[in-house]
Amino acid sequence: MPQAPPSATPGFGARDALYVLFKRKWMILLPTLAGLGAAAAVFHTRQPLYESQAKLLVRYVLTRDSTDSFESHSAPGGGRVDPVTQTEIEILTSMDLALEVAGSLDPHNQRDIARNEAAAAILAGFKVARGQSNKVLNLLYADGDPHRSRTVLREIVDRYFEKHLDIHRSAAAFDLISRQAAEARARME
């Protein structure tokens, strides 16, 4: 008569899992507590950053106007670096613009060192990236204060428009406008 095969013992059951967990409880518990403690410390010590975002459309001047006759540009095709967009990025990230923004946010501060530090802090929190189109720039300003992040980004955009006109508008346009104003004044007199 053939003998019956011995009954198969189960491989790894719930009882074995509880035994391993109980035996290695300190090897599991200590790293878990250390990780949770480190996460809590980071959560309580790091100040959250609030980000303000804006999109800026870079217009290409295709026609020459009598009041604003700087060189016209057209959008280059393909994936090449667009010189017009690159110029606008240079204006946005310039120290001149940051100094103007710092001066307008705190007009009572006349110390150059403090204004330079404020401008450097503005540039540190400010980022410019190209959008999907070469004509759109994504602006981002991050700060620990939500109100300040909105205010600084709004001021950057406002000062950028002024700086853009100062840089791109030709001196001949100012001469034309001043000449027309003088003629109008003479006619009114």
Side-chain angles (χ1 to χ4, degrees):
M1 215 184 244
Q3 286 187 346
S7 64
T9 58
F12 190 78
R15 189 174 191 179
D16 295 327
L18 289 174
Y19 174 75
V20 170
L21 286 176
F22 181 72
K23 184 171 176 137
R24 306 288 185 197
K25 66 184 171 218
W26 295 115
M27 290 181 74
I28 296 169
L29 194 58
L30 288 178
T32 302
L33 290 176
L36 289 174
V42 167
F43 178 76
H44 288 296
T45 58
R46 290 200 71 187
Q47 182 180 15
L49 284 179
Y50 298 93
E51 295 179 345
S52 293
Q53 299 176 355
K55 290 189 178 192
L56 182 67
L57 175 66
V58 177
R59 292 187 176 189
Y60 296 96
V61 178
L62 300 174
T63 60
R64 297 184 78 149
D65 188 11
S66 64
T67 59
D68 195 15
S69 62
F70 64 91
E71 293 298 317
S72 63
H73 298 280
S74 61
R80 297 184 313 202
V81 175
D82 184 7
V84 174
T85 305
Q86 188 61 37
T87 301
E88 302 309 311
I89 291 173
E90 293 293 326
I91 293 170
L92 282 163
T93 57
S94 70
M95 189 63 156
D96 272 353
L97 185 68
L99 285 168
E100 286 183 20
V101 170
S104 67
L105 292 175
D106 189 8
H108 303 296
N109 188 0
Q110 298 299 321
R111 292 181 41 224
D112 288 337
I113 294 173
R115 187 171 286 173
N116 286 339
E117 289 173 356
I122 288 170
L123 288 177
F126 183 59
K127 297 201 181 356
V128 180
R130 288 187 177 92
Q132 291 178 344
S133 165
N134 263 346
K135 295 181 180 183
V136 176
L137 295 176
N138 296 321
L139 310 178
L140 175 92
Y141 184 75
D143 196 282
D145 180 17
H147 175 69
R148 188 173 32 214
S149 70
R150 285 188 308 268
T151 305
V152 169
L153 187 61
R154 186 176 301 124
E155 197 64 32
I156 287 172
V157 171
D158 290 344
R159 297 294 172 178
Y160 159 75
F161 285 126
E162 293 172 10
K163 181 70 80 179
H164 173 85
L165 288 175
D166 288 345
I167 289 172
H168 292 298
R169 187 167 284 156
S170 67
F174 293 118
D175 293 341
L176 176 68
I177 291 172
S178 62
R179 188 171 51 248
Q180 288 175 349
E183 289 172 5
R185 232 181 279 116
R187 275 186 268 150
M188 287 176 60
E189 288 175 358

PDB file of all heavy atoms in Angstrom, residues 117-140:
ATOM      1  N   GLU A 117      19.517  95.972  -1.939  1.00  0.00           N
ATOM      2  CA  GLU A 117      19.150  94.697  -1.316  1.00  0.00           C
ATOM      3  C   GLU A 117      17.710  94.331  -1.644  1.00  0.00           C
ATOM      4  O   GLU A 117      17.404  93.167  -1.917  1.00  0.00           O
ATOM      5  CB  GLU A 117      19.351  94.770   0.191  1.00  0.00           C
ATOM      6  CG  GLU A 117      20.805  94.796   0.610  1.00  0.00           C
ATOM      7  CD  GLU A 117      20.985  95.043   2.097  1.00  0.00           C
ATOM      8  OE1 GLU A 117      19.975  95.268   2.812  1.00  0.00           O
ATOM      9  OE2 GLU A 117      22.137  95.021   2.551  1.00  0.00           O
ATOM     10  N   ALA A 118      16.820  95.318  -1.613  1.00  0.00           N
ATOM     11  CA  ALA A 118      15.420  95.056  -1.954  1.00  0.00           C
ATOM     12  C   ALA A 118      15.291  94.637  -3.414  1.00  0.00           C
ATOM     13  O   ALA A 118      14.528  93.719  -3.743  1.00  0.00           O
ATOM     14  CB  ALA A 118      14.568  96.293  -1.683  1.00  0.00           C
ATOM     15  N   ALA A 119      16.048  95.277  -4.305  1.00  0.00           N
ATOM     16  CA  ALA A 119      16.013  94.915  -5.722  1.00  0.00           C
ATOM     17  C   ALA A 119      16.551  93.502  -5.929  1.00  0.00           C
ATOM     18  O   ALA A 119      16.000  92.726  -6.731  1.00  0.00           O
ATOM     19  CB  ALA A 119      16.817  95.913  -6.540  1.00  0.00           C
ATOM     20  N   ALA A 120      17.609  93.151  -5.213  1.00  0.00           N
ATOM     21  CA  ALA A 120      18.162  91.793  -5.322  1.00  0.00           C
ATOM     22  C   ALA A 120      17.150  90.758  -4.811  1.00  0.00           C
ATOM     23  O   ALA A 120      17.021  89.675  -5.390  1.00  0.00           O
ATOM     24  CB  ALA A 120      19.469  91.694  -4.547  1.00  0.00           C
ATOM     25  N   ALA A 121      16.423  91.087  -3.738  1.00  0.00           N
ATOM     26  CA  ALA A 121      15.394  90.177  -3.225  1.00  0.00           C
ATOM     27  C   ALA A 121      14.252  90.026  -4.229  1.00  0.00           C
ATOM     28  O   ALA A 121      13.706  88.935  -4.397  1.00  0.00           O
ATOM     29  CB  ALA A 121      14.862  90.684  -1.887  1.00  0.00           C
ATOM     30  N   ILE A 122      13.906  91.112  -4.899  1.00  0.00           N
ATOM     31  CA  ILE A 122      12.851  91.043  -5.920  1.00  0.00           C
ATOM     32  C   ILE A 122      13.297  90.137  -7.055  1.00  0.00           C
ATOM     33  O   ILE A 122      12.538  89.266  -7.509  1.00  0.00           O
ATOM     34  CB  ILE A 122      12.498  92.457  -6.431  1.00  0.00           C
ATOM     35  CG1 ILE A 122      11.730  93.217  -5.350  1.00  0.00           C
ATOM     36  CG2 ILE A 122      11.689  92.392  -7.721  1.00  0.00           C
ATOM     37  CD1 ILE A 122      11.540  94.687  -5.643  1.00  0.00           C
ATOM     38  N   LEU A 123      14.524  90.309  -7.525  1.00  0.00           N
ATOM     39  CA  LEU A 123      15.020  89.466  -8.619  1.00  0.00           C
ATOM     40  C   LEU A 123      15.152  88.005  -8.203  1.00  0.00           C
ATOM     41  O   LEU A 123      14.988  87.107  -9.030  1.00  0.00           O
ATOM     42  CB  LEU A 123      16.359  89.988  -9.133  1.00  0.00           C
ATOM     43  CG  LEU A 123      16.295  91.280  -9.937  1.00  0.00           C
ATOM     44  CD1 LEU A 123      17.694  91.737 -10.321  1.00  0.00           C
ATOM     45  CD2 LEU A 123      15.427  91.113 -11.173  1.00  0.00           C
ATOM     46  N   ALA A 124      15.435  87.755  -6.917  1.00  0.00           N
ATOM     47  CA  ALA A 124      15.568  86.373  -6.448  1.00  0.00           C
ATOM     48  C   ALA A 124      14.229  85.643  -6.477  1.00  0.00           C
ATOM     49  O   ALA A 124      14.184  84.439  -6.735  1.00  0.00           O
ATOM     50  CB  ALA A 124      16.147  86.353  -5.033  1.00  0.00           C
ATOM     51  N   GLY A 125      13.140  86.358  -6.228  1.00  0.00           N
ATOM     52  CA  GLY A 125      11.829  85.722  -6.218  1.00  0.00           C
ATOM     53  C   GLY A 125      11.097  85.779  -7.543  1.00  0.00           C
ATOM     54  O   GLY A 125       9.996  85.265  -7.682  1.00  0.00           O
ATOM     55  N   PHE A 126      11.707  86.406  -8.548  1.00  0.00           N
ATOM     56  CA  PHE A 126      11.037  86.644  -9.831  1.00  0.00           C
ATOM     57  C   PHE A 126      11.583  85.700 -10.898  1.00  0.00           C
ATOM     58  O   PHE A 126      12.787  85.521 -11.028  1.00  0.00           O
ATOM     59  CB  PHE A 126      11.270  88.097 -10.250  1.00  0.00           C
ATOM     60  CG  PHE A 126      10.583  88.494 -11.524  1.00  0.00           C
ATOM     61  CD1 PHE A 126       9.213  88.412 -11.651  1.00  0.00           C
ATOM     62  CD2 PHE A 126      11.319  88.952 -12.595  1.00  0.00           C
ATOM     63  CE1 PHE A 126       8.584  88.783 -12.810  1.00  0.00           C
ATOM     64  CE2 PHE A 126      10.704  89.331 -13.767  1.00  0.00           C
ATOM     65  CZ  PHE A 126       9.335  89.242 -13.881  1.00  0.00           C
ATOM     66  N   LYS A 127      10.667  85.093 -11.647  1.00  0.00           N
ATOM     67  CA  LYS A 127      11.064  84.193 -12.725  1.00  0.00           C
ATOM     68  C   LYS A 127      10.260  84.521 -13.974  1.00  0.00           C
ATOM     69  O   LYS A 127       9.075  84.840 -13.895  1.00  0.00           O
ATOM     70  CB  LYS A 127      10.822  82.744 -12.327  1.00  0.00           C
ATOM     71  CG  LYS A 127      11.646  82.332 -11.136  1.00  0.00           C
ATOM     72  CD  LYS A 127      11.811  80.857 -11.050  1.00  0.00           C
ATOM     73  CE  LYS A 127      12.597  80.382  -9.870  1.00  0.00           C
ATOM     74  NZ  LYS A 127      13.191  81.273  -9.002  1.00  0.00           N
ATOM     75  N   VAL A 128      10.920  84.441 -15.121  1.00  0.00           N
ATOM     76  CA  VAL A 128      10.284  84.666 -16.415  1.00  0.00           C
ATOM     77  C   VAL A 128      10.525  83.428 -17.261  1.00  0.00           C
ATOM     78  O   VAL A 128      11.651  82.941 -17.356  1.00  0.00           O
ATOM     79  CB  VAL A 128      10.872  85.896 -17.133  1.00  0.00           C
ATOM     80  CG1 VAL A 128      10.206  86.106 -18.473  1.00  0.00           C
ATOM     81  CG2 VAL A 128      10.734  87.138 -16.281  1.00  0.00           C
ATOM     82  N   ALA A 129       9.463  82.914 -17.859  1.00  0.00           N
ATOM     83  CA  ALA A 129       9.578  81.751 -18.741  1.00  0.00           C
ATOM     84  C   ALA A 129       8.767  82.005 -20.003  1.00  0.00           C
ATOM     85  O   ALA A 129       7.753  82.709 -19.960  1.00  0.00           O
ATOM     86  CB  ALA A 129       9.080  80.498 -18.034  1.00  0.00           C
ATOM     87  N   ARG A 130       9.223  81.444 -21.091  1.00  0.00           N
ATOM     88  CA  ARG A 130       8.469  81.551 -22.334  1.00  0.00           C
ATOM     89  C   ARG A 130       7.257  80.652 -22.248  1.00  0.00           C
ATOM     90  O   ARG A 130       7.320  79.546 -21.722  1.00  0.00           O
ATOM     91  CB  ARG A 130       9.327  81.128 -23.512  1.00  0.00           C
ATOM     92  CG  ARG A 130      10.385  82.126 -23.849  1.00  0.00           C
ATOM     93  CD  ARG A 130      11.092  81.721 -25.144  1.00  0.00           C
ATOM     94  NE  ARG A 130      12.054  82.724 -25.508  1.00  0.00           N
ATOM     95  CZ  ARG A 130      13.316  82.692 -25.149  1.00  0.00           C
ATOM     96  NH1 ARG A 130      13.761  81.714 -24.416  1.00  0.00           N
ATOM     97  NH2 ARG A 130      14.137  83.651 -25.510  1.00  0.00           N
ATOM     98  N   GLY A 131       6.153  81.129 -22.807  1.00  0.00           N
ATOM     99  CA  GLY A 131       4.944  80.324 -22.864  1.00  0.00           C
ATOM    100  C   GLY A 131       5.001  79.369 -24.046  1.00  0.00           C
ATOM    101  O   GLY A 131       6.055  79.149 -24.644  1.00  0.00           O
ATOM    102  N   GLN A 132       3.858  78.794 -24.385  1.00  0.00           N
ATOM    103  CA  GLN A 132       3.808  77.885 -25.518  1.00  0.00           C
ATOM    104  C   GLN A 132       4.121  78.619 -26.809  1.00  0.00           C
ATOM    105  O   GLN A 132       4.698  78.072 -27.729  1.00  0.00           O
ATOM    106  CB  GLN A 132       2.435  77.235 -25.603  1.00  0.00           C
ATOM    107  CG  GLN A 132       2.190  76.265 -24.473  1.00  0.00           C
ATOM    108  CD  GLN A 132       0.803  75.654 -24.538  1.00  0.00           C
ATOM    109  OE1 GLN A 132      -0.079  76.147 -25.229  1.00  0.00           O
ATOM    110  NE2 GLN A 132       0.614  74.582 -23.813  1.00  0.00           N
ATOM    111  N   SER A 133       3.726  79.864 -26.862  1.00  0.00           N
ATOM    112  CA  SER A 133       4.009  80.692 -28.019  1.00  0.00           C
ATOM    113  C   SER A 133       5.212  81.565 -27.695  1.00  0.00           C
ATOM    114  O   SER A 133       5.458  81.904 -26.541  1.00  0.00           O
ATOM    115  CB  SER A 133       2.796  81.570 -28.322  1.00  0.00           C
ATOM    116  OG  SER A 133       3.127  82.607 -29.194  1.00  0.00           O
ATOM    117  N   ASN A 134       5.981  81.941 -28.707  1.00  0.00           N
ATOM    118  CA  ASN A 134       7.102  82.851 -28.474  1.00  0.00           C
ATOM    119  C   ASN A 134       6.627  84.239 -28.085  1.00  0.00           C
ATOM    120  O   ASN A 134       7.398  85.041 -27.594  1.00  0.00           O
ATOM    121  CB  ASN A 134       7.969  82.956 -29.735  1.00  0.00           C
ATOM    122  CG  ASN A 134       9.151  82.033 -29.673  1.00  0.00           C
ATOM    123  OD1 ASN A 134       9.493  81.510 -28.622  1.00  0.00           O
ATOM    124  ND2 ASN A 134       9.776  81.825 -30.803  1.00  0.00           N
ATOM    125  N   LYS A 135       5.348  84.522 -28.293  1.00  0.00           N
ATOM    126  CA  LYS A 135       4.825  85.859 -28.021  1.00  0.00           C
ATOM    127  C   LYS A 135       4.350  86.029 -26.576  1.00  0.00           C
ATOM    128  O   LYS A 135       4.047  87.136 -26.169  1.00  0.00           O
ATOM    129  CB  LYS A 135       3.654  86.156 -28.955  1.00  0.00           C
ATOM    130  CG  LYS A 135       4.048  86.231 -30.401  1.00  0.00           C
ATOM    131  CD  LYS A 135       2.848  86.561 -31.244  1.00  0.00           C
ATOM    132  CE  LYS A 135       3.226  86.649 -32.698  1.00  0.00           C
ATOM    133  NZ  LYS A 135       2.100  87.044 -33.520  1.00  0.00           N
ATOM    134  N   VAL A 136       4.260  84.958 -25.816  1.00  0.00           N
ATOM    135  CA  VAL A 136       3.734  85.030 -24.454  1.00  0.00           C
ATOM    136  C   VAL A 136       4.846  84.713 -23.455  1.00  0.00           C
ATOM    137  O   VAL A 136       5.573  83.738 -23.615  1.00  0.00           O
ATOM    138  CB  VAL A 136       2.558  84.051 -24.267  1.00  0.00           C
ATOM    139  CG1 VAL A 136       2.079  84.052 -22.828  1.00  0.00           C
ATOM    140  CG2 VAL A 136       1.420  84.393 -25.204  1.00  0.00           C
ATOM    141  N   LEU A 137       4.956  85.560 -22.440  1.00  0.00           N
ATOM    142  CA  LEU A 137       5.895  85.329 -21.344  1.00  0.00           C
ATOM    143  C   LEU A 137       5.103  85.060 -20.076  1.00  0.00           C
ATOM    144  O   LEU A 137       4.155  85.775 -19.764  1.00  0.00           O
ATOM    145  CB  LEU A 137       6.797  86.542 -21.144  1.00  0.00           C
ATOM    146  CG  LEU A 137       7.742  86.886 -22.285  1.00  0.00           C
ATOM    147  CD1 LEU A 137       8.493  88.168 -21.959  1.00  0.00           C
ATOM    148  CD2 LEU A 137       8.698  85.758 -22.555  1.00  0.00           C
ATOM    149  N   ASN A 138       5.495  84.031 -19.344  1.00  0.00           N
ATOM    150  CA  ASN A 138       4.879  83.715 -18.062  1.00  0.00           C
ATOM    151  C   ASN A 138       5.733  84.319 -16.961  1.00  0.00           C
ATOM    152  O   ASN A 138       6.914  83.999 -16.839  1.00  0.00           O
ATOM    153  CB  ASN A 138       4.761  82.207 -17.875  1.00  0.00           C
ATOM    154  CG  ASN A 138       3.840  81.575 -18.878  1.00  0.00           C
ATOM    155  OD1 ASN A 138       2.805  82.126 -19.218  1.00  0.00           O
ATOM    156  ND2 ASN A 138       4.215  80.408 -19.369  1.00  0.00           N
ATOM    157  N   LEU A 139       5.131  85.192 -16.171  1.00  0.00           N
ATOM    158  CA  LEU A 139       5.831  85.858 -15.074  1.00  0.00           C
ATOM    159  C   LEU A 139       5.385  85.234 -13.763  1.00  0.00           C
ATOM    160  O   LEU A 139       4.199  84.986 -13.561  1.00  0.00           O
ATOM    161  CB  LEU A 139       5.512  87.347 -15.069  1.00  0.00           C
ATOM    162  CG  LEU A 139       5.657  88.091 -16.388  1.00  0.00           C
ATOM    163  CD1 LEU A 139       5.255  89.546 -16.216  1.00  0.00           C
ATOM    164  CD2 LEU A 139       7.056  87.984 -16.920  1.00  0.00           C
ATOM    165  N   LEU A 140       6.323  85.014 -12.858  1.00  0.00           N
ATOM    166  CA  LEU A 140       6.020  84.409 -11.572  1.00  0.00           C
ATOM    167  C   LEU A 140       6.837  85.115 -10.505  1.00  0.00           C
ATOM    168  O   LEU A 140       8.052  85.282 -10.650  1.00  0.00           O
ATOM    169  CB  LEU A 140       6.370  82.918 -11.598  1.00  0.00           C
ATOM    170  CG  LEU A 140       6.200  82.195 -10.278  1.00  0.00           C
ATOM    171  CD1 LEU A 140       4.805  81.601 -10.212  1.00  0.00           C
ATOM    172  CD2 LEU A 140       7.232  81.121 -10.130  1.00  0.00           C
TER     173      LEU A 140
END
